[in-house]
Amino acid sequence: MSVISCLRLSSLRNNIISPTKCLITVQREMGHGGPKKMVITASRWQWHKYKDLLHFYTMLGLIPLGTLVFAINVFIGPAKLAPIPEDYNPKNWEYYQHPISRFLARFLYPSHQQDYEKYLHFVYEENEKKQMRLLETKVKEMMAERGDSQAFYYRPILTKYHRYVRKVYDDLDDTRGY
Amino acid sequence: MGVGDPLNQFEAFVNAVGSVFDGPVTWFRESVVDKNRPEYYWYHRQFRRVPTIDECYTDDIVCFVEANEQFKRDRMVDNEVLSILRQRHHDCILYEGHDHKEKCASIKEQYDKAAENWFIKYGDLGVYGDVKAAYMKQKHRLLWERRHGPVGTGMKNPME
C-alpha cells in the first residue's frame, strides 16, 4: 500500500480537475492472489547507497567542475611562451602557463619571491640563535676546564634564612631568658 | 604530387579512415577554439646572479644559502648540457652503425671532455654535497696540483 502525491506526473492527468483529492492511496491491481505475506529478501541498501553517492558526486562534482574546466580550456586556453620584454618585471602569476594555475598563483598562493625571502630571514634568525648557543657552550667548557671564573660554578649562599633563624633565637632568648 | 599527398589508394584509404576521427576534432579546434581564445603570455623565471661562495664571509649564512641555491641551479643546467652531448653521441652511433669509431670521434671527444669537466666540478660530492663541499674540493685539487703537478701525472715522493 503506497501513498503517492497527486503532483506526480502519472496522476496529474487524472486529477487535474479536482485538486482537493491530493493524497490518494494507490493499490496495485494484480489479480487478488493469495494471503498477504512478508517477503524476506536480502538488503539492497548498499546498492541504493551506491546510486545515491554516484548521483551526488556526479551532479555536484563531475558536471559543474567538468564544464568549468572544459570552458576554461576551450575558451581561455593556455598562455603562449614569450621572452621577457625589456624593462618589464613580470608579476608572479605570469610565470605559469595554465589559466587555473595562474588564477591560483594570483589569488591564493604566496609568490616564490615572498617564500624565498621569508626562508632567508628564517635561516638568518636560526643562525643567530645557533651562534649564541655555540658561544654559550664554549664559555661553559672553558670555565669547566680552567675553573678560574666564579661565574658559572659559583653556588651563591642566601643569608636571609640564616638571618631569620638568628632573629627567632634572639626573640626566644629575650622572652624566655635562656 | 605534393609532399603530403597519398602515394597510392591504400594510403588514401587509411587517411580517410583517420580523418573520421581527426576531421571533427580539427574542425572544432579551428572554428570554436582558435577564434575565441585571448592572446596572453607566460615567461620563464630568470634568476639574477648572486655572489658565489668564494665571495661570502664565513659567518654570513644568507650569502651561503643564496650561493648554494645558485650552485644547485648551475648543476642542474650542467646536467642537462651533458645529457644533450651524450644524446648527440648516441644518435651519431645509431646513425653511423659500424663506422661509429671514426665518424663519431669528434662528438665523442667533445662529450668526454665535457664529462671530465663535470666530474672535476661536481663528481664525488655525495648526496649532501653543497657548494661548500664543491669549493673545498676545488681548493684541495689546487693544493694537490701545487704539490704534485697536474692531475694525472702521479704523486711526488714527500722526500723530494
Side-chain angles (χ1 to χ4, degrees):
Chain A
M1 209 182 73
S2 49
V3 180
I4 304 182
S5 150
C6 76
L7 295 170
R8 231 164 165 270
L9 210 56
S10 56
S11 53
L12 257 176
R13 286 180 236 119
N14 299 333
N15 290 341
I16 204 117
I17 325 153
S18 54
T20 47
K21 272 203 262 175
C22 255
L23 279 176
I24 40 168
T25 55
V26 174
Q27 282 226 296
R28 244 194 223 169
E29 295 150 15
M30 282 177 72
H32 319 284
K36 284 194 187 148
K37 293 186 219 157
M38 180 179 111
V39 182
I40 299 173
T41 54
S43 164
R44 288 171 67 83
W45 183 85
Q46 281 89 358
W47 169 239
H48 294 149
K49 186 72 182 171
Y50 169 72
K51 283 189 288 186
D52 183 25
L53 286 172
L54 188 71
H55 279 105
F56 177 75
Y57 283 113
T58 318
M59 301 296 276
L60 228 61
L62 219 166
I63 292 175
L65 293 181
T67 46
L68 189 71
V69 171
F70 177 79
I72 288 177
N73 276 317
V74 164
F75 295 114
I76 302 181
K80 295 195 182 68
L81 187 59
I84 300 178
E86 294 292 326
D87 304 329
Y88 178 62
N89 222 7
K91 301 278 191 292
N92 71 303
W93 67 84
E94 288 175 359
Y95 287 111
Y96 301 94
Q97 188 178 32
H98 196 266
I100 297 180
S101 314
R102 282 171 85 101
F103 174 81
L104 293 174
R106 186 169 176 181
F107 294 110
L108 292 179
Y109 294 149
S111 66
H112 177 265
Q113 188 177 357
Q114 182 179 349
D115 279 340
Y116 186 68
E117 289 178 12
K118 276 171 75 174
Y119 171 64
L120 288 179
H121 174 78
F122 173 74
V123 163
Y124 173 77
E125 288 287 320
E126 291 298 308
N127 186 53
E128 293 287 302
K129 286 192 227 169
K130 174 189 171 187
Q131 298 301 330
M132 277 203 263
R133 285 188 206 124
L134 280 175
L135 200 59
E136 274 179 29
T137 43
K138 184 155 185 221
V139 166
K140 262 177 82 168
E141 276 173 39
M142 288 279 110
M143 286 202 281
E145 182 191 317
R146 294 177 189 173
D148 59 351
S149 156
Q150 244 188 1
F152 194 80
Y153 291 91
Y154 176 67
R155 301 186 66 176
I157 299 171
L158 285 168
T159 54
K160 75 171 181 181
Y161 299 107
H162 291 81
R163 268 192 254 272
Y164 182 74
V165 166
R166 185 164 65 183
K167 176 171 159 305
V168 166
Y169 265 101
D170 286 343
D171 286 344
L172 276 176
D173 236 355
D174 289 341
T175 52
R176 288 180 310 184
Y178 63 91
Chain B
M1 292 286 277
V3 176
D5 287 350
L7 294 169
N8 48 37
Q9 276 195 327
F10 177 69
E11 200 170 328
F13 168 71
V14 168
N15 286 353
V17 169
S19 69
V20 168
F21 301 100
D22 185 65
V25 175
T26 310
W27 169 84
F28 185 76
R29 177 89 186 190
E30 280 162 8
S31 54
V32 176
V33 172
D34 284 337
K35 297 266 168 59
N36 292 326
R37 277 191 180 174
E39 180 110 345
Y40 65 116
Y41 301 105
W42 70 296
Y43 311 106
H44 276 164
R45 210 179 280 276
Q46 303 225 319
F47 294 96
R48 267 174 268 170
R49 298 301 295 180
V50 289
T52 48
I53 187 70
D54 57 319
E55 296 163 15
C56 286
Y57 288 110
T58 47
D59 57 354
D60 192 353
I61 189 79
V62 175
C63 184
F64 165 73
V65 167
E66 291 208 295
N68 200 19
E69 292 297 313
Q70 185 172 259
F71 172 76
K72 285 196 279 193
R73 285 194 295 270
D74 291 342
R75 184 168 52 187
M76 284 202 271
V77 169
D78 284 336
N79 289 352
E80 290 298 319
V81 167
L82 203 62
S83 294
I84 289 173
L85 289 174
R86 193 186 309 125
Q87 196 56 44
R88 257 189 225 171
H89 183 218
H90 290 175
D91 289 343
C92 179
I93 294 176
L94 221 57
Y95 186 75
E96 301 292 346
H98 284 290
D99 300 328
H100 71 266
K101 284 215 176 72
E102 298 90 25
K103 295 269 179 67
C104 300
S106 63
I107 296 180
K108 180 180 194 323
E109 196 203 322
Q110 198 180 40
Y111 170 69
D112 282 342
K113 235 189 279 180
E116 188 188 329
N117 290 335
W118 186 95
F119 198 86
I120 288 172
K121 188 169 181 188
Y122 301 110
D124 276 345
L125 290 179
V127 166
Y128 298 110
D130 54 3
V131 66
K132 260 192 205 159
Y135 190 41
M136 291 300 114
K137 184 183 174 186
Q138 184 189 37
K139 181 195 86 176
H140 288 198
R141 181 172 57 84
L142 292 175
L143 281 175
W144 195 95
E145 285 191 341
R146 189 202 291 179
R147 268 180 216 159
H148 303 280
V151 173
T153 57
M155 275 174 84
K156 291 206 183 100
N157 202 313
M159 287 298 151
E160 287 171 33

